[in-house]
Amino acid sequence: MWNRVAQFIIRFRLPLIILIALITVLMGYFASRVQMSYDFARTVPLNDPDMILLNKFKAQFGEDGNLIAVGVKDSNIYKLDNFKAYLELTRELKKIEGVNEVVSLPVIKMILKDTAQSKFYLQSIFSDTISSQKTLDSLLALAYDQKVYMGHIVNPKNGATMMLVSVKKEYMNSSKREALAQSLLDAGKKFEDKTRIQLHYAGLPFIRTLVANQVRKEMQFFLYASAFVTGLIMFLFFKSFRAVIFSMIIIGIVVVWTLGTLTLFGYKITLLSGLIPPVIVTIGITNAIYLLNKYHLEFAKTKDKMKAISIVVQKMGLATFLTNLTVAIGFLTLLSTDIIILREFGVVAGINIMVLFLVSLVMIPSVFSWLPTPSEKHLRHLNFKIMGGFLKLVDLSVHRHRAVIYIVSMGIAILSVYGIMQLHSVSYMVDDIPEESQIKKDLHFFEQNFSGIMPLEIVVEFKTKKRRPVLDVKNMEKVDELENFLDSLPEVSRPISVLSLIKASKQAFYNNNPARYSLPSKSEGVFILRYMKGQSDNSGLFKSFVDSTFTKMRISSQIADIGSVKLDSLVHTVIEPRMNSIFVSTEKDSVKTAVTGSTKIFIKGNKFLIENLQESLLLAFLLITLSMAILFANVRMIIISLIPNLLALMITAGLMGYFDIPLKASTALIFSITFGISVDNSIRFLAKYRQEILANNFFIPVAVSDAIMETGKSIIYTSIVLFAGFIIFTFSSFGGTIALGLLTSVTLIISMFTNLILLPALIMTFDRPKKRRDDHQLIDDFDHTFYGESEDEEIDLDKIKIHNRHSAAE
């Protein structure tokens, strides 16, 4: 088969290159239209009860996560000039395209009663004509008497205040939000320059925008950095600029295809999918190294460029296909999950890793068939023997100290199991952002002064024959009891609901006496409701907190970003039990309560992420095991080959437990990615071992020694390249990406050692090869060659005389 493939590629290399170029132009067009994702991706299935409840809530009451908060804690804000500047800032923000409403201290209104017409009306507290500090102070005292605002936009204990900017729904999850956020920051900067008062920003729309911008910057940085680092390693190896340049062109083509794939599938760039291009670069370099090394090796033997290229395709086609396939399987198994961001990441990465195989197999032989023949300088790497001493030590240990190897491996496995037992899963709304970043500092500001800014909602539904049960005095008292309880929790802000408006109306009825800010009694309700009759709700405020029949109401709070574990405990062991004790259903009247909101759904999504990633890892394990079964058709060899790779994964999981690195989407992905990559080392080693077993009359010790010496260099070298490619992710601003890069790099290095030391030891102890030369296995067709010692002996570079007229041009 691969002979025909080689002939086809060489014969039609020009049309194939033109076809790839045309496809690249087309994919480049789609790549230019790729968009950033500006929302927290859905991680909870749509049919989940909590997700259904949230969607019903949004349909009834509107969005819960569309607020941007701008906070201030500076006594100078209450000086006349600064206060006027703050008022001007509020008006400037209101003018920004995409802003729905802005609520802040300078524009609050108080409720007044019109005794002549028996109705309430709103009046601004602060006017544009404030002329003295004394007047401002008296108005501030009046504002502080409006209890409906205290604890929400003003902290009465320390004077901290914030303005709430409501963002239109159509701007929240689109690129328009970038301009909105920048306009907000520009207006804020103007205010800060004028007053020397620092502003703090938070809220889901704002944070998502900043994170999306950072993802874009990091994707570009990682792409260039991975290309530079791996390209530098490749140059040090081959001593050839053209080898590096054309390899990078080939990999660049696949990166363009990757970005084009995102657009074709209707996907956007997320924190995860933004990592695919640098991963493609890293894996692509290993492909290029293997193919070019084989080309140089065959050229040194045959002195015939076209024959060497033909042999590359024939002998390396299956090897490259299988190594790319196992890596792709690790990604494609994410398709089995219900989580969109993981499925998108898996399908785009998996498809383009196989595309990388096709493009590399076509372009590397084709391009180098047109380039000048390699010079002596370019072939010098074939005598690379620096690692020989280390491999001889490994070989000696495998033959003489297998007991030590097993004891050390068992000890490490036991320690790893203990570390795995310490593993925990936790996620945060503002996850992976460094503590020293301004985003985190601002978030802490709102948590310290307003108990947080993340939305937490409670829905109370009264199912009764009574008319407008929400306004029933007894029901209001129960809701008030729940709100007082929520207000007592340090992690939860003071709630706001329709009760807040009713209490404010009572205060207004009693001539704005702040002591009267409370629920009206049954007799007071008669008079107050008379004033409320016929009131129009132009602001839509009532609609945001109660339905038209007054049977279902919303209690809205903000909560600190306390993490999934604490939030689950707070909701299920504190809030829900208290709700159930307050609202007791009877045969006639039933009450249904539920905690909802974007915060709860996002945090709950972490549980689904981990469960789905565990399933995808199991599927990857089964599929890769099936691939090994097809290669070896030997159960014993399958088990032997999997043990070193599973030990590497165990060690990584144990390190996560010891160093308190939680399981989340980014860190759980490590296992699916690295398992597919590390199995390649086992396949290459076992392929050579199988070849040597047949060549040495089934004498295992010699076969193992030859396999160690002849594949050890390739395993070490490719592990170094992969390590260098993934370690770049540690320069990220996101904790999850840092952990992904560090742990993936560590796992690949650990896998290198387990496959070089433990795997041959296990073969020495447990393998019982069938002594039948006609027992053909698919692995026999696998060409492992990277640096073959036996082939090195056939090549004397001192005797190679290559007259390359073009070498001087390099």
Side-chain angles (χ1 to χ4, degrees):
M1 170 188 170
W2 292 102
N3 288 336
R4 291 195 295 271
V5 171
Q7 293 171 8
F8 178 82
I9 290 174
I10 293 172
R11 183 178 179 184
F12 297 103
R13 57 188 184 275
L14 181 59
L16 288 172
I17 292 290
I18 293 172
L19 177 62
I20 290 173
L22 292 174
I23 295 175
T24 303
V25 171
L26 178 64
M27 296 301 281
Y29 167 76
F30 289 112
S32 68
R33 301 171 68 88
V34 71
Q35 298 179 3
M36 298 296 303
S37 174
Y38 291 91
D39 59 339
F40 284 137
R42 178 178 64 83
T43 54
V44 177
L46 289 173
N47 60 356
D48 180 80
D50 283 330
M51 194 69 188
I52 293 172
L53 177 63
L54 177 61
N55 288 331
K56 286 182 178 179
F57 170 87
K58 288 183 177 181
Q60 178 75 59
F61 300 112
E63 293 291 329
D64 69 324
N66 65 335
L67 293 178
I68 297 176
V70 183
V72 180
K73 185 183 178 184
D74 191 327
S75 59
N76 289 323
I77 194 70
Y78 298 110
K79 292 181 179 179
L80 182 59
D81 290 341
N82 293 336
F83 194 81
K84 286 183 176 180
Y86 193 51
L87 172 61
E88 183 60 29
L89 173 62
T90 303
R91 291 172 175 169
E92 285 293 319
L93 298 186
K94 180 69 185 295
K95 296 176 185 176
I96 295 174
E97 186 178 352
V99 170
N100 192 38
E101 188 58 73
V102 180
V103 178
S104 69
L105 181 60
V107 296
I108 63 172
K109 297 179 179 181
M110 61 180 176
I111 304 174
L112 297 175
K113 69 174 180 176
D114 183 343
T115 54
Q117 299 187 39
S118 297
K119 71 174 186 179
F120 293 120
Y121 65 96
L122 296 174
Q123 179 175 296
S124 297
I125 296 176
F126 302 97
S127 67
D128 294 335
T129 58
I130 304 173
S131 57
S132 67
Q133 184 67 42
K134 184 177 180 181
T135 303
L136 175 60
D137 291 341
S138 64
L139 292 175
L140 285 170
L142 180 60
Y144 269 64
D145 283 342
Q146 308 307 307
K147 298 299 181 182
V148 70
Y149 298 108
M150 296 302 106
H152 295 297
I153 63 170
V154 177
N155 184 332
K157 296 179 181 178
N158 60 21
T161 183
M162 67 173 169
M163 62 174 67
L164 297 175
V165 182
S166 173
V167 179
K168 293 179 181 177
K169 184 178 180 180
E170 58 269 26
Y171 280 74
M172 283 181 59
N173 299 327
S174 73
S175 58
K176 294 178 181 178
R177 199 169 61 197
E178 274 194 57
L180 187 153
Q182 189 58 52
S183 297
L184 188 148
L185 289 171
D186 290 343
K189 181 69 165 57
K190 184 178 176 183
F191 169 83
E192 289 179 329
D193 292 341
K194 183 177 181 179
T195 63
R196 301 289 183 241
I197 295 174
Q198 183 182 4
L199 297 178
H200 303 271
Y201 303 90
L204 295 185
F206 184 77
I207 292 171
R208 291 172 187 169
T209 304
L210 295 185
V211 169
N213 289 338
Q214 188 64 26
V215 168
R216 181 195 292 115
K217 293 176 184 176
E218 289 197 357
M219 185 183 76
Q220 294 172 348
F221 168 74
F222 291 147
L223 184 59
Y224 297 140
S226 61
F228 174 77
V229 171
T230 54
L232 178 62
I233 294 174
M234 191 175 184
F235 176 74
L236 294 175
F237 180 53
F238 287 105
K239 302 293 191 298
S240 170
F241 282 113
R242 63 174 177 244
V244 175
I245 291 170
F246 284 106
S247 297
M248 286 301 170
I249 290 173
I250 291 166
I251 294 166
I253 288 171
V254 181
V255 169
V256 170
W257 287 28
T258 300
L259 297 176
T261 305
L262 286 169
T263 303
L264 279 174
F265 287 1
Y267 302 158
K268 296 181 179 180
I269 296 176
T270 65
L271 187 59
L272 285 181
S273 60
L275 300 178
I276 298 175
V279 169
I280 291 290
V281 171
T282 302
I283 295 174
I285 283 292
T286 59
N287 277 358
I289 288 174
Y290 271 113
L291 293 172
L292 286 174
N293 184 79
K294 184 65 175 176
Y295 166 56
H296 285 175
L297 194 62
E298 293 301 327
F299 177 79
K301 288 164 58 178
T302 64
K303 314 298 185 298
D304 186 327
K305 182 173 70 174
M306 297 309 295
K307 185 177 180 180
I309 288 171
S310 178
I311 293 173
V312 167
V313 180
Q314 292 175 35
K315 292 191 174 183
M316 295 298 288
L318 178 62
T320 310
F321 172 76
L322 289 174
T323 51
N324 280 259
L325 179 63
T326 55
V327 177
I329 286 173
F331 289 103
L332 289 172
T333 50
L334 297 174
L335 283 170
S336 64
T337 70
D338 294 324
I339 298 170
I340 289 177
I341 54 170
L342 295 181
R343 295 179 68 179
E344 292 178 358
F345 178 77
V347 69
V348 174
I351 288 174
N352 283 285
I353 284 171
M354 296 313 297
V355 166
L356 182 65
F357 156 72
L358 291 172
V359 174
S360 299
L361 193 66
V362 170
M363 289 196 66
I364 288 180
S366 300
V367 169
F368 280 85
S369 70
W370 293 318
L371 292 176
T373 56
S375 67
E376 182 179 350
K377 174 183 69 174
H378 301 147
L379 300 178
R380 207 167 289 149
H381 65 89
L382 297 175
N383 276 340
F384 189 58
K385 296 182 179 181
I386 295 175
M387 301 173 190
F390 172 72
L391 293 175
K392 288 178 181 177
L393 181 63
V394 169
D395 185 41
L396 188 66
S397 301
V398 168
H399 283 78
R400 297 185 182 179
H401 305 291
R402 287 200 301 280
V404 176
I405 293 172
Y406 295 147
I407 291 170
V408 171
S409 299
M410 285 294 295
I412 292 174
I414 292 169
L415 290 173
S416 298
V417 169
Y418 180 77
I420 291 170
M421 292 171 65
Q422 314 304 313
L423 262 179
H424 64 283
S425 171
V426 63
S427 65
Y428 293 84
M429 283 291 280
V430 184
D431 219 348
D432 296 334
I433 297 175
E435 286 295 323
E436 64 274 11
S437 69
Q438 193 58 48
I439 293 176
K440 268 296 179 71
K441 290 177 181 177
D442 286 350
L443 186 63
H444 292 325
F445 168 85
F446 288 99
E447 289 176 350
Q448 292 165 6
N449 294 285
F450 298 98
S451 298
I453 197 64
M454 302 304 171
L456 184 70
E457 307 284 349
I458 294 176
V459 177
V460 181
E461 183 177 6
F462 298 95
K463 295 184 177 181
T464 177
K465 293 181 180 179
K466 294 179 181 178
R467 185 170 175 269
R468 305 209 296 181
V470 166
L471 299 179
D472 181 80
V473 174
K474 289 184 178 179
N475 289 337
M476 287 195 294
E477 288 175 348
K478 290 179 180 179
V479 173
D480 192 41
E481 182 182 349
L482 175 60
E483 290 188 3
N484 289 332
F485 170 71
L486 293 173
D487 193 23
S488 70
L489 300 173
E491 304 91 350
V492 182
S493 71
R494 184 183 172 197
I496 186 169
S497 71
V498 68
L499 263 64
S500 307
L501 303 177
I502 293 171
K503 292 178 181 179
S505 298
K506 179 181 174 179
Q507 180 180 344
F509 184 80
Y510 286 102
N511 301 316
N512 258 300
N513 181 355
R516 294 287 189 168
Y517 182 79
S518 62
L519 287 177
S521 64
K522 198 165 188 178
S523 58
E524 289 173 327
V526 174
F527 297 102
I528 294 171
L529 287 174
R530 187 192 306 162
Y531 274 77
M532 296 182 72
K533 274 186 179 179
Q535 292 287 136
S536 61
D537 181 23
N538 296 327
S539 65
L541 203 56
F542 259 84
K543 187 180 177 182
S544 298
F545 287 98
V546 67
D547 70 343
S548 58
T549 63
F550 282 76
T551 59
K552 185 186 291 186
M553 65 174 293
R554 163 194 188 183
I555 302 172
S556 184
S557 295
Q558 278 74 48
I559 188 170
D561 193 11
I562 58 177
S564 55
V565 176
K566 290 182 179 179
L567 181 65
D568 280 346
S569 176
L570 182 66
V571 170
H572 296 127
T573 66
V574 179
I575 295 176
E576 287 182 344
R578 189 58 177 266
M579 285 196 308
N580 294 333
S581 67
I582 293 173
F583 298 99
V584 180
S585 297
T586 63
E587 291 183 6
K588 292 183 179 181
D589 303 321
S590 67
V591 185
K592 186 179 180 182
T593 59
V595 178
T596 186
S598 299
T599 303
K600 184 184 178 186
I601 291 297
F602 180 80
I603 299 300
K604 184 177 183 180
N606 188 63
K607 182 175 121 181
F608 285 94
L609 279 170
I610 302 306
E611 289 176 354
N612 278 268
L613 284 169
Q614 288 172 344
E615 292 172 5
S616 68
L617 177 60
L618 178 61
L619 181 59
F621 175 78
L622 293 175
L623 289 176
I624 291 174
T625 301
L626 180 61
S627 303
M628 302 285 276
I630 294 171
L631 282 173
F632 296 109
N634 185 323
V635 175
R636 182 185 291 110
M637 289 304 294
I638 293 170
I639 296 172
I640 288 173
S641 64
L642 290 175
I643 289 174
N645 299 295
L646 292 176
L647 178 60
L649 297 185
M650 286 176 62
I651 294 171
T652 301
L655 289 172
M656 289 175 64
Y658 283 118
F659 290 98
D660 196 31
I661 301 173
L663 274 173
K664 59 183 76 175
S666 52
T667 53
L669 271 174
I670 295 165
F671 302 101
S672 293
I673 295 172
T674 53
F675 186 59
I677 296 175
S678 62
V679 163
D680 292 348
N681 291 335
S682 299
I683 293 175
R684 293 186 184 281
F685 184 89
L686 292 172
K688 183 59 184 175
Y689 167 69
R690 171 72 180 174
Q691 179 183 332
E692 293 301 326
I693 273 288
L694 297 174
N696 289 282
N697 199 27
F698 299 94
F699 188 54
I700 294 176
V702 173
V704 167
S705 292
D706 289 346
I708 290 173
M709 299 306 298
E710 294 186 26
T711 61
K713 292 176 183 177
S714 67
I715 291 173
I716 292 172
Y717 197 83
T718 52
S719 295
I720 291 172
V721 172
L722 290 167
F723 176 87
F726 280 101
I727 202 68
I728 290 169
F729 293 148
T730 58
F731 293 96
S732 172
S733 301
F734 302 104
T737 307
I738 294 171
L740 173 67
L742 181 61
L743 291 172
T744 300
S745 302
V746 169
T747 306
L748 292 173
I749 292 299
I750 294 171
S751 170
M752 177 190 78
F753 284 103
T754 57
N755 278 291
L756 274 177
I757 300 173
L758 180 58
L759 177 59
L762 290 170
I763 292 173
M764 288 281 292
T765 304
F766 297 106
D767 188 30
R768 299 292 183 269
K770 296 179 181 178
K771 298 184 179 182
R772 289 170 46 193
R773 294 186 175 275
D774 59 344
D775 180 26
H776 182 80
Q777 298 177 5
L778 185 59
I779 193 70
D780 296 338
D781 300 325
F782 187 101
D783 193 298
H784 71 284
T785 308
F786 190 86
Y787 285 122
E789 291 291 338
S790 59
E791 292 179 282
D792 283 345
E793 293 169 5
E794 299 172 10
I795 304 169
D796 187 351
L797 292 180
D798 295 332
K799 296 179 182 179
I800 297 176
K801 302 296 183 183
I802 300 176
H803 301 284
N804 186 354
R805 297 176 182 177
H806 301 277
S807 61
E810 281 211 346

